[in-house]
Amino acid sequence: MKIIDIRETVVPIQSDLRNAFIDFSLMTVSVAALVTDVVRDGKRVVGFGFNSNGRYAQQGLLRERFIPRLKEAGPETLLNEEGSNFDPSKIWDCMMKNEKPGGHGDRSVAVGIIDMAVWDMVAKIEEKPLYRHLADTYRGGQCDEKVSVYAAGGYYYPGKDLKALQNEMRSYLDRGYTTVKMKIGGESLDDDRRRIEAVLEIVGEGRSLAVDANGRFDLKTAVAYAEALAPYDLHWYEEAGDPLDYALQAELARHYEEPMATGENLFSTQDARNLIRYGGMRPGVDILQFDCALSYGLVEYLRTLDMAAEHGWSARSFIPHGGHQLSLNIAGGLGLGGSESYPDVFKPFNGFADSVAVEDGYVRFPDLPGLGIEDKAALKDVLKELSET
Amino acid sequence: MKIIDIRETVVPIQSDLRNAFIDFSLMTVSVAALVTDVVRDGKRVVGFGFNSNGRYAQQGLLRERFIPRLKEAGPETLLNEEGSNFDPSKIWDCMMKNEKPGGHGDRSVAVGIIDMAVWDMVAKIEEKPLYRHLADTYRGGQCDEKVSVYAAGGYYYPGKDLKALQNEMRSYLDRGYTTVKMKIGGESLDDDRRRIEAVLEIVGEGRSLAVDANGRFDLKTAVAYAEALAPYDLHWYEEAGDPLDYALQAELARHYEEPMATGENLFSTQDARNLIRYGGMRPGVDILQFDCALSYGLVEYLRTLDMAAEHGWSARSFIPHGGHQLSLNIAGGLGLGGSESYPDVFKPFNGFADSVAVEDGYVRFPDLPGLGIEDKAALKDVLKELSET
């Protein structure tokens, strides 16, 4: 049993939106394929992975460091003890050989791309949907057959007015979502008050609306927003300040009793631990949004879940960033609180299986081995290109 | 005034050593050149930069993101208000456009490579050694004409015995160094006790010897070492635990009254601030080792110095990692406490100007504009290759 080839390509995402920090029209995504000599259902097993949004494709680091290390490894060193499947932890250790501690950015994305492909490959060899494989491996088979998802949107576009924002949010409800998320911090608090109230006219109550500042605010602004947001009783107030400014987050918790959410820009268990140690996050109230695809993959995410449990955090407090099928499978298989969804943005990497509709705020899994990535017609060409021999 | 070309190449470092985490024989270095249309002393001004050791070459990120952004920028947008020179902050902002907050690794190295070349270029246009340019710009001309340096070595090599370790340390003293550094944590505390005592036979007193664990220890081991090291009265005890484990560092300070040093694996002002906020580091006792070449360059390092000053830290408590001429120039120009030196390792990127010897633990600057990188014969070929048109 071995990986006979590792391939990757770079795909632009189709977008003309911006948030507080970046212009997504320039974003790119690396897609990787692990081609094995294992045959299931008459076909060679190929595992696929890609990077989550907000960070760039990682072809450089993949080609220079992580793919060569895997190619140079003895195939038997990457297998589980029984030799019956690949061992994601051993593959992870192989990729991270000769990497120093600290400096968790970019390489965490590159490793995350390969790690996603590893789990897709492993579940395909087991002939199970990934969420079932995870439940069987880590939770005695206990899993959630449907996962709570929310529609992330509400971005700033040039010329987008309140009407357009309302239409966007209405379309999410029409597609089965019950909770939506919008950006704040683009212009002014007064502007955001108007935008929030416009969206509340559509979604009904504050608990159905989360707001996301994308790390833009200093403490004073974050607190001013906290005071303005509190009466709306929102689903959550997300990433007010710089992701590493734990003191800001901790101080903000003294001004805002409602749920807050953060973590999408922390890319290692060590960084996640610092948020939990110093950020004043409240178990049972606040939400942890670490995105495994940006932060060394599920092998590292398992360590993060264990670390958080030691600090009194339930997996239900984890609702990952990213809107990809790895986070969705983890949510179902490991009992997280839900997963993000991008119904309209980051195409073609947004959304879940084509065959599965969102119903009453939940989504189910397609009956496919692995991540379920083959049930996305928009990715068909790129997957085909990478898996052809 | 404009940058007419940006070139880069990758050079392996010549090394067969290892520390607690990595095998340096596989390390690579990116060297970048900013070729300008400015003529000084009859020649086109070219600024050179390279990455510091411990992290890899960054050709991928440079080619994919940072160099294209600079090439696409309007030349006038990169100049100071008078148009008399380039503005390092504006160049930095241009490189970091469309980069999200958090995730400070690898890209911080890539930006650091270009930033080093920027400061070399700017000082050459001013026709001053960089340390003088920094002193004139930020300290009213006040500078240190010589900088305290220490010899970092004492690595583990296959088959290296105590005699070889002693010979290595003696050779540093013979070359003008008064303080040396060695690795610990490779085998056992007993083994390290023997190694330390062997080195103390050569250097005389504990204050002349620093020890470096390269982030290898858990808290229990770190404390056991602290108790064993205290009687030696060492120069410092460096990077005991994971660079992001601030709680370990803070707890360790309760067990070790002597100086400790850390920071080489923290790559942003935000990470540095967290060390200062949470790591229990003691101003006037402990040493901060952030390496600008690994952490977004001097533009970011200036922010780190300002942040630290707000927390009561003097620039004299900064002794940067890396052993390169940018840190040396910063030390002389901004009044740091000193700079690291690698007399024998990381060739050809180790050491300072060929024409300047270390004397009594201090080194002076060559009388050359910029970093002084042209006074290193071992780099002559690569600089020539990059600057030829």
Side-chain angles (χ1 to χ4, degrees):
Chain A
M1 181 176 290
K2 63 184 181 202
I3 296 166
I4 58 174
D5 200 8
I6 305 174
R7 301 166 190 164
E8 46 77 34
T9 188
V10 178
V11 182
I13 63 169
Q14 299 149 20
S15 186
D16 51 1
L17 54 86
R18 68 178 171 93
N19 70 13
F21 271 97
I22 61 172
D23 177 352
F24 285 94
S25 68
L26 304 170
M27 300 300 296
T28 50
V29 174
S30 283
V31 189
L34 300 174
V35 183
T36 73
D37 65 351
V38 182
V39 174
R40 290 288 182 272
D41 202 19
K43 283 192 303 195
R44 191 166 264 177
V45 169
V46 181
F48 296 105
F50 56 86
N51 62 280
S52 190
N53 71 75
R55 303 285 158 164
Y56 291 89
Q58 292 293 338
Q59 67 273 34
L61 300 190
L62 287 171
R63 291 171 197 172
E64 294 151 20
R65 282 145 58 189
F66 300 108
I67 291 176
R69 285 181 197 145
L70 286 182
K71 287 191 170 175
E72 285 159 18
E76 69 290 350
T77 66
L78 306 179
L79 302 181
N80 64 17
E81 277 187 30
E82 304 77 35
S84 61
N85 205 328
F86 296 91
D87 182 329
S89 292
K90 288 184 182 170
I91 294 177
W92 197 95
D93 288 346
C94 173
M95 283 195 282
M96 288 296 285
K97 198 178 163 191
N98 283 315
E99 294 284 327
K100 286 182 81 175
H104 304 300
D106 279 300
R107 79 174 177 194
S108 63
V109 180
V111 171
I113 294 161
I114 301 291
D115 178 89
M116 187 190 290
V118 166
W119 289 97
D120 185 39
M121 168 182 77
V122 164
K124 284 170 172 168
I125 292 172
E126 297 290 329
E127 300 183 273
K128 293 177 187 174
L130 177 58
Y131 78 105
R132 288 258 183 78
H133 171 65
L134 295 177
D136 291 345
T137 307
Y138 299 105
R139 296 178 79 221
Q142 192 191 340
C143 64
D144 298 335
E145 293 292 345
K146 60 181 189 175
V147 172
S148 168
V149 292
Y150 68 95
Y155 288 83
Y156 299 95
Y157 292 76
K160 181 175 178 179
D161 60 11
L162 295 180
K163 202 80 207 160
L165 180 63
Q166 289 181 316
N167 288 341
E168 176 192 350
M169 296 302 174
R170 190 179 292 110
S171 85
Y172 297 145
L173 301 185
D174 290 347
R175 280 177 276 175
Y177 292 93
T178 56
T179 304
V180 301
K181 187 168 87 180
M182 62 183 280
K183 299 299 175 185
I184 56 171
E187 305 291 335
S188 67
L189 179 50
D190 278 344
D191 178 61
D192 282 330
R193 241 193 230 107
R194 284 189 291 273
R195 295 173 68 248
I196 288 167
E197 288 173 10
V199 173
L200 289 177
E201 285 177 26
I202 306 303
V203 300
E205 51 168 19
R207 302 300 301 157
S208 298
L209 173 62
V211 298
D212 180 4
N214 279 104
R216 182 189 192 92
F217 298 152
D218 60 16
L219 178 61
K220 194 179 154 194
T221 310
V223 170
Y225 266 80
E227 288 165 357
L229 296 176
Y232 296 120
D233 190 25
L234 295 174
H235 196 68
W236 67 58
Y237 172 18
E238 178 173 333
E239 208 182 27
D242 184 277
L244 292 162
D245 193 347
Y246 310 124
L248 182 153
Q249 184 65 36
E251 179 61 27
L252 190 55
R254 294 187 193 101
H255 299 265
Y256 194 74
E257 293 182 1
E258 310 289 307
M260 290 193 281
T262 194
E264 74 178 70
N265 289 306
L266 298 176
F267 298 155
S268 70
T269 299
Q270 288 85 351
D271 286 295
R273 188 174 58 188
N274 284 333
L275 175 65
I276 285 176
R277 281 178 173 167
Y278 306 118
M281 302 289 282
R282 303 153 299 186
V285 175
D286 293 324
I287 297 299
L288 301 171
Q289 301 180 298
F290 318 119
D291 180 344
C292 67
L294 298 177
S295 49
Y296 298 113
L298 174 52
V299 170
E300 179 88 349
Y301 196 78
L302 288 167
R303 290 191 279 257
T304 298
L305 285 167
D306 284 346
M307 173 279 297
E310 285 170 23
H311 288 80
W313 285 80
S314 158
R316 293 289 180 204
S317 297
F318 284 68
I319 302 179
H321 169 267
H324 47 75
Q325 287 169 297
L326 180 53
S327 280
L328 192 75
N329 275 279
I330 295 171
L334 301 182
L336 307 186
S339 192
E340 188 166 20
S341 175
Y342 298 104
D344 289 338
V345 297
F346 308 122
K347 292 175 185 171
F349 296 94
N350 64 326
F352 309 121
D354 295 341
S355 69
V356 183
V358 175
E359 291 180 74
D360 203 24
Y362 285 84
V363 70
R364 293 176 178 273
F365 296 91
D367 185 20
L368 277 179
L371 288 167
I373 196 170
E374 285 80 4
D375 192 355
K376 287 177 68 66
L379 292 178
K380 194 177 165 187
D381 288 348
V382 64
L383 301 191
K384 190 170 170 221
E385 173 201 330
L386 284 170
S387 50
E388 271 173 358
T389 45
Chain B
M1 181 176 292
K2 65 183 179 204
I3 296 166
I4 57 174
D5 200 8
I6 304 175
R7 301 169 190 161
E8 46 78 34
T9 188
V10 178
V11 181
I13 64 170
Q14 298 149 20
S15 187
D16 51 359
L17 54 87
R18 68 178 171 95
N19 70 13
F21 272 95
I22 62 172
D23 177 351
F24 285 95
S25 67
L26 303 169
M27 300 299 298
T28 50
V29 173
S30 284
V31 189
L34 300 173
V35 183
T36 73
D37 65 352
V38 183
V39 173
R40 290 288 181 274
D41 203 18
K43 283 192 302 193
R44 192 166 264 175
V45 170
V46 181
F48 296 105
F50 56 86
N51 63 279
S52 190
N53 70 74
R55 303 283 159 167
Y56 292 89
Q58 293 292 339
Q59 67 273 37
L61 300 190
L62 288 171
R63 291 170 197 172
E64 293 151 21
R65 281 146 59 191
F66 300 107
I67 291 175
R69 286 183 195 141
L70 286 182
K71 286 190 170 176
E72 285 158 18
E76 69 290 351
T77 67
L78 305 179
L79 301 181
N80 64 17
E81 278 187 33
E82 304 78 35
S84 61
N85 206 329
F86 295 91
D87 182 329
S89 291
K90 289 183 181 171
I91 293 176
W92 197 96
D93 289 345
C94 173
M95 284 194 281
M96 288 296 285
K97 198 177 162 191
N98 283 315
E99 295 285 328
K100 286 183 81 175
H104 305 299
D106 279 300
R107 80 174 177 193
S108 63
V109 180
V111 171
I113 293 162
I114 301 291
D115 178 272
M116 187 190 290
V118 166
W119 289 97
D120 185 41
M121 167 182 79
V122 163
K124 283 170 173 168
I125 292 171
E126 296 291 329
E127 301 183 274
K128 292 177 188 176
L130 178 57
Y131 78 105
R132 287 258 182 79
H133 171 65
L134 295 176
D136 290 346
T137 307
Y138 298 105
R139 296 178 78 221
Q142 193 191 337
C143 64
D144 297 334
E145 294 292 344
K146 59 180 189 176
V147 172
S148 168
V149 291
Y150 68 95
Y155 287 84
Y156 299 96
Y157 293 77
K160 182 175 177 179
D161 60 10
L162 294 180
K163 202 81 209 159
L165 180 63
Q166 289 181 316
N167 287 342
E168 177 192 348
M169 296 302 174
R170 190 179 292 112
S171 85
Y172 297 145
L173 301 185
D174 291 345
R175 279 177 277 175
Y177 292 93
T178 56
T179 304
V180 301
K181 187 167 86 182
M182 62 184 279
K183 299 298 175 186
I184 57 172
E187 305 292 337
S188 67
L189 179 50
D190 278 344
D191 178 61
D192 280 332
R193 239 192 232 108
R194 283 189 290 273
R195 295 173 68 250
I196 288 167
E197 288 173 11
V199 173
L200 289 177
E201 284 177 26
I202 306 303
V203 300
E205 52 168 19
R207 302 301 301 156
S208 298
L209 172 63
V211 297
D212 180 6
N214 278 104
R216 181 190 194 94
F217 298 153
D218 60 16
L219 178 60
K220 195 179 151 194
T221 310
V223 170
Y225 267 80
E227 288 166 358
L229 296 176
Y232 296 120
D233 191 25
L234 296 174
H235 196 67
W236 68 56
Y237 172 19
E238 179 172 333
E239 208 181 26
D242 184 278
L244 291 162
D245 193 348
Y246 309 125
L248 182 153
Q249 184 65 37
E251 178 61 27
L252 190 56
R254 293 186 195 100
H255 299 264
Y256 194 73
E257 292 182 2
E258 310 289 306
M260 289 193 284
T262 194
E264 74 178 68
N265 289 305
L266 298 176
F267 298 155
S268 69
T269 299
Q270 287 86 350
D271 286 295
R273 188 175 57 187
N274 284 334
L275 175 66
I276 285 175
R277 281 178 173 167
Y278 306 119
M281 302 288 283
R282 303 154 297 187
V285 176
D286 293 325
I287 296 299
L288 302 171
Q289 301 179 298
F290 317 118
D291 181 344
C292 66
L294 298 177
S295 48
Y296 299 113
L298 174 52
V299 169
E300 180 89 349
Y301 197 80
L302 289 166
R303 290 191 279 258
T304 298
L305 285 167
D306 285 346
M307 173 278 296
E310 285 170 22
H311 287 81
W313 286 81
S314 158
R316 293 289 180 204
S317 296
F318 285 67
I319 302 179
H321 168 269
H324 48 74
Q325 288 169 299
L326 180 53
S327 279
L328 192 76
N329 275 278
I330 295 170
L334 300 181
L336 307 186
S339 193
E340 189 167 18
S341 175
Y342 298 104
D344 289 338
V345 296
F346 308 120
K347 293 175 185 171
F349 295 95
N350 63 326
F352 309 120
D354 295 341
S355 68
V356 183
V358 175
E359 291 179 74
D360 202 23
Y362 286 83
V363 69
R364 295 176 177 273
F365 296 90
D367 186 20
L368 278 178
L371 289 167
I373 197 171
E374 285 79 4
D375 192 356
K376 286 177 69 64
L379 293 177
K380 193 176 168 190
D381 288 348
V382 64
L383 303 190
K384 189 169 172 224
E385 173 200 329
L386 284 169
S387 51
E388 270 175 357
T389 46

